[in-house]
Amino acid sequence: MNLIFYRLAVFSFIVSAAASFAADKSIGVGSKPISGADVIIDGSRKTLDEKWTYWQGPGFKSSLPIKWKIVDDPVDKGTVIMTDDRAADGGKYGTADIVTKKAYRDFRLHIEFLVMKPGGNSGVYLQNRYEIQVLDGDKGKHGMAAVINEAEAPFDAYNGTGKWNAYDVVFRAARFAEGKRVEKAMVTMYFNGKKVHTNQSINQVWGGPNSGIDGGNDGGKGITDTPGGLKLQCEGHDVRYRNAWIKELKLKEANTDF
């Protein structure tokens, strides 16, 4: 009998280890798309033009086609996209941001970025509302990998300038009943394979009308039940993106942990 229990324990350990390994392969730099995911950045101009456009918010100053450049990967082989648009020089946010043509509610996201120089600034906006910061050097609630103004920057997980970093996110959109928000948006995130935010609720859109959907509604507190695309911010800094994929989810429970 003890031998049987021993064998069951060994089998259970092997299955558990295999499951963990399978999960780990979808998290961190270089992760491959999970089943059912849509690749939205592959370093090609074709994918950029097919799946992205400019967000034409109140501060928009650029024009199609997208001016962001396709450049060589400075670390590995291949090409990546670079947040380069002269309309955003001087940190003029909202002037040349790009957003996916497809809008989302709940989703699983993987995206990799590289900040070329100290102080480099961009941002990943979930549902074109809620910013996950990309800002070299800042360790506060406005810093690297922070859920902007909601949760502190987990700066210790940052690989630094000139190196690739990865955000892995599960996001659940706000829920509404009779036109009123009854559950806030929620996010869980890994930064370079380290879990840094777990079921973090998001209260509002920060940054005003130039920041994204609902930014101009009641000071960012007037969240609406409108799906939004994934947005990447251009502020005239050399920040590069690659290997981005997204999968739509339907999360009934208020739980984004993974």
Side-chain angles (χ1 to χ4, degrees), residues 139-249:
K139 301 180 182 181
K141 285 189 176 180
H142 197 265
M144 181 65 74
V147 181
I148 203 80
N149 294 332
E150 304 270 357
E152 296 285 345
F155 201 82
D156 59 308
Y158 178 41
N159 286 334
T161 57
K163 297 179 182 179
W164 286 105
N165 297 269
Y167 290 163
D168 285 282
V169 171
V170 167
F171 172 81
R172 185 177 186 266
R175 295 310 200 247
F176 294 78
E178 298 180 353
K180 295 183 178 180
R181 184 175 64 168
V182 294
E183 294 181 56
K184 296 175 182 178
M186 180 179 289
V187 64
T188 291
M189 189 177 101
Y190 287 79
F191 184 19
N192 292 329
K194 178 181 179 180
K195 186 181 287 187
V196 294
H197 305 301
T198 304
N199 284 333
Q200 173 68 47
S201 62
I202 310 177
N203 292 290
Q204 68 173 82
V205 176
W206 299 91
N210 286 344
S211 63
I213 298 173
D214 297 332
N217 295 342
D218 189 22
K221 294 179 173 66
I223 305 299
T224 59
D225 192 18
T226 306
L230 182 75
K231 187 177 72 176
L232 302 179
Q233 189 179 46
C234 181
E235 289 202 19
H237 295 246
D238 186 348
V239 179
R240 307 183 184 194
Y241 289 96
R242 72 176 188 184
N243 189 25
W245 43 265
I246 191 166
K247 179 178 180 177
E248 292 182 276
L249 303 174

Side-chain angles (χ1 to χ4, degrees), residues 8 69 115-116 124 128 136 148 151 178 197 228 240 244-245 255:
L8 286 173
K69 289 184 173 63
V115 180
M116 287 295 289
V124 176
N128 194 4
D136 177 75
I148 203 80
E178 298 180 353
H197 305 301
R240 307 183 184 194
W245 43 265
N255 181 20

